[in-house]
Amino acid sequence: MDTTSSAPDLLRLVGHPLRWRLLTELGRSDRTVHELTGLVGERQNLVSYHLGKLRGAGLVSGRRSSADGRDTYYTVDLACLRDQVAATGTALHPGLVLVPPPESAPRLTKPVRVLFLCTGNSSRSQMAEALARTRSEGAVDARSAGSHPKTLHPDAVRAMREQGMDISGQRPKHLDELLGERFDRVITLCDRVREVCPEFPGHPEAVHWSIPDPARPEGGGYPAFPRTAAELDTRIGFLLAGLDRPTPSRATSAH
């Protein structure tokens, strides 16, 4: 790709005020069109139009909800956006190099507790728990649970073992076991569990990552598990990079 000619295209694309606001919201959590419409205060047809522009550029993708097939959850590809922003800077001047966050564990000024939830707590949330704990070198107290716990999936154990992590000793738990505990973030990985997620003490930030269950019959067997682990690893990398930074207020991003 010719980054010199494409760089202005990216600036025009993300520089539009509404598209910037949509990217900001999707950077926090996966959302449906209806939710985005309420968050940015614009008509649904206008939001859908600008989402289409972002999808056409490969910055945003959509997945049908597993809870309600009439809904689609939209996700921003932060890795793709990071790479395109970096290419834009260097196309303007070689000295404008985007420096990625360090690979080392985040230096947090206070303890951070993160809860990952899915329906069965047998694969997605278990993998996310291990990734967050390991990638942060224990700086994040990561937990996981499910609304209808199942036995830990052997393919999840296998996929994580290939990542150098042993989750065979992790125990599936019902989310009711953790209802009295305080968390800084509660991240739902399943569209179904998002619909039934209870309130936790202290009103933790609620985040949704719409990630298909790798164990579903149409998932494609074992290869779906490493793909899920890879997606979780990417998302958790961005999560860790922003844990000790204040979340921009919607009032600020709306202007």
Side-chain angles (χ1 to χ4, degrees), residues 9-25:
D9 294 337
L10 177 69
L11 294 177
R12 285 193 294 269
L13 181 71
V14 303
H16 187 282
L18 180 52
R19 290 196 283 266
W20 181 265
R21 288 161 63 190
L22 291 172
L23 288 171
T24 300
E25 293 297 344

Side-chain angles (χ1 to χ4, degrees), residues 115-118 186-190 193-194 197 207-210:
L115 174 62
F116 295 98
L117 297 176
C118 66
V186 174
I187 301 177
T188 49
L189 307 176
C190 165
V193 82
R194 188 190 189 206
C197 185
V207 175
H208 183 55
W209 296 346
S210 182

Side-chain angles (χ1 to χ4, degrees), residues 56-248:
L59 298 180
V60 168
S61 61
R63 282 174 174 158
R64 285 289 181 183
S65 168
S66 61
D68 185 344
R70 296 169 296 179
D71 278 336
T72 296
Y73 277 102
Y74 290 94
T75 303
V76 61
D77 188 337
L78 290 174
C80 177
L81 184 57
R82 175 194 59 203
D83 293 344
Q84 290 200 32
V85 169
T88 300
T90 54
L92 183 62
H93 190 283
L96 296 175
V97 179
L98 183 69
V99 179
E103 291 291 335
S104 58
R107 296 181 179 179
L108 304 176
T109 58
K110 62 178 182 178
V112 174
R113 304 195 74 215
V114 178
L115 174 62
F116 295 98
L117 297 176
C118 66
T119 302
N121 192 213
S122 62
S123 53
R124 287 166 292 183
S125 54
Q126 295 282 3
M127 291 191 285
E129 175 187 344
L131 283 163
R133 184 171 55 244
T134 303
R135 297 297 188 225
S136 71
E137 297 180 7
V140 172
D141 179 7
R143 308 287 297 280
S144 70
S147 57
H148 296 80
K150 300 177 181 178
T151 303
L152 189 62
H153 201 292
D155 283 343
V157 176
R158 176 185 168 189
M160 294 306 293
R161 185 175 294 120
E162 292 177 356
Q163 297 280 332
M165 301 174 210
D166 183 6
I167 66 170
S168 61
Q170 293 182 191
R171 177 180 65 88
K173 300 172 292 298
H174 195 284
L175 59 84
D176 285 352
E177 290 188 36
L178 304 174
L179 277 181
E181 298 192 27
R182 288 180 175 268
F183 295 94
D184 297 284
R185 279 177 175 79
V186 174
I187 301 177
T188 49
L189 307 176
C190 165
D191 302 332
R192 295 181 186 278
V193 82
R194 188 190 189 206
E195 301 294 326
V196 299
C197 185
E199 283 288 332
F200 284 84
H203 304 290
E205 181 179 351
V207 175
H208 183 55
W209 296 346
S210 182
I211 299 178
D213 183 1
R216 68 196 192 284
E218 68 276 19
Y222 175 70
F225 287 82
R227 287 197 301 270
T228 299
E231 179 174 353
L232 286 167
D233 195 26
T234 298
R235 289 188 184 245
I236 286 168
F238 283 103
L239 171 73
L240 296 179
L243 274 181
D244 213 23
R245 300 178 185 178
T247 302

